[in-house]
Amino acid sequence: MVPDVLLHLAEVGAQYTERRGYDVAAFAKQLLQAMRAVECGAGRCSSWGEGMVATHVDRLFSFWVEARGRCVVCDRTKSWYECEDVLSLGLPEKAERRTTLHELYLRSCAAGVLTVDGAGAVDRPLSIACESCGGDSVQVQRRLASSPNVLVVRIGRRIAGPDGGMPRH
């Protein structure tokens, strides 16, 4: 007996037609997007806000992240919200002891410097530049502003490869 999701891999994405190793977190994210599209196509959705649509998939898996940014150059601040369906957490560079999920989340809430082009960002390029000075680095702090019914967590880790390091998730 084969799970239904394996019978419909091509509907999730063309790259999943062959059954071989893929990034599970990327697959889960695309699966949620495909499920959302099916819900919208069947009319099981509702519009709200500025052209946004909500489905039962969103009700189960989506959550809001509050982000606060401060320009390193001119000190201007801005706050915004992002809708997510997978919580991405990174491991510390040198983990000298076991780390709990709670500690990883708290570490991810700490302010960090991200550049506009995404260099140095693990999974999320910065979506804004400083509107007053045009600076390319903004110190950003994020936190969960709502909680989903089902929380999908992606923990990124680095495994050293022959070239000195290969990102793995």
Side-chain angles (χ1 to χ4, degrees), residues 143-159:
R143 72 171 187 90
L144 288 179
S146 67
S147 58
N149 289 312
V150 179
L151 180 61
V152 178
V153 179
R154 174 186 194 179
I155 299 177
R157 63 185 185 273
R158 292 198 172 271
I159 297 175

Side-chain angles (χ1 to χ4, degrees), residues 62-112:
S62 293
F63 56 91
W64 288 98
V65 174
E66 178 188 21
R68 294 182 233 167
R70 182 181 60 83
C71 179
V72 174
V73 177
C74 71
D75 216 33
R76 181 170 184 220
T77 61
K78 182 175 182 171
S79 177
W80 66 96
Y81 289 89
E82 302 167 341
C83 186
E84 300 280 339
D85 51 14
V86 175
L87 178 63
S88 294
L89 303 174
L91 287 174
E93 287 295 322
K94 292 184 179 181
E96 297 172 1
R97 63 177 184 85
R98 291 186 178 166
T99 306
T100 66
L101 188 61
H102 185 256
E103 291 170 331
L104 292 177
Y105 169 70
L106 289 177
R107 184 176 175 273
S108 75
C109 291

Side-chain angles (χ1 to χ4, degrees), residues 117-135:
D117 64 0
V122 175
D123 193 30
R124 171 192 331 229
L126 190 60
S127 58
I128 64 164
C130 181
E131 295 169 354
S132 71
C133 74

Side-chain angles (χ1 to χ4, degrees), residues 24-37:
V24 174
F27 175 76
K29 195 165 188 66
Q30 288 184 317
L31 176 64
L32 292 174
Q33 290 172 354
M35 291 167 55
R36 188 175 192 275

